Amino acid sequence: QAQLAESGGGLVQAGGSLRLSCAASGRVVSRYGMGWFRQAPGNEREFVAAISWNGGNTNYADSVKGRFTISRDNAANTMYLQMNSLKPSDTAVYYCAADARVLAARPALESIEYAYWGQGTQVTVSS
């Protein structure tokens, strides 16, 4: 079992930046892809970004391309999401997740492909 814990959320003005972290414990996740999802009130959970087990491949939702950067530090068992040029539409609870597949080259894009989830961290962007 892996436990994932997000941190770094908060309140920021439009145009500002935040860096989310996802720390894994209980299981080494260095052989698994990881991803970020978000859910705004009244909306379905949506894909934000994903990274392969070795960081060699990444994928982003169109809505965040060019503004968000996903990365990972396998030695620290931690994943990050650098969010720049934030917009009010980015307001949501952000969740990190670990893929169920070992050593997959393609980062998972669908929530059903993820086996472990964090509790989420709130990001609020004011206009």
Side-chain angles (χ1 to χ4, degrees), residues 39-53:
Q39 186 168 17
N43 290 356
E44 297 287 325
R45 187 173 297 188
E46 65 174 4
F47 169 77
V48 175
I51 188 167
S52 60
W53 67 277

Side-chain angles (χ1 to χ4, degrees), residues 62-125:
D62 288 343
S63 59
V64 306
K65 277 181 183 175
R67 299 188 298 121
F68 290 12
T69 302
I70 189 171
S71 62
R72 65 188 299 163
D73 181 348
N74 283 344
N77 233 19
T78 303
M79 175 181 65
Y80 305 97
L81 185 67
Q82 178 67 44
M83 305 187 295
N84 298 329
S85 302
L86 282 161
K87 305 175 181 179
S89 56
D90 294 317
T91 295
V93 177
Y94 283 71
Y95 298 90
C96 68
D99 196 336
R101 305 167 301 156
V102 178
L103 301 177
R106 175 187 65 81
L109 306 183
E110 303 293 333
S111 60
I112 196 171
E113 297 180 277
Y114 288 87
Y116 302 100
W117 292 83
Q119 294 298 308
T121 185
Q122 176 70 47
V123 172
T124 303
V125 184

Side-chain angles (χ1 to χ4, degrees), residues 8-59:
L11 173 64
V12 64
Q13 288 189 330
S17 299
L18 283 174
R19 189 194 196 202
L20 304 184
S21 298
C22 173
S25 62
R27 181 186 193 185
V28 175
V29 296
S30 60
R31 297 189 301 164
Y32 298 83
M34 298 187 75
W36 290 96
F37 288 75
R38 66 186 182 187
Q39 186 168 17
N43 290 356
E44 297 287 325
R45 187 173 297 188
E46 65 174 4
F47 169 77
V48 175
I51 188 167
S52 60
W53 67 277
N54 62 354
N57 290 302
T58 57
N59 268 298

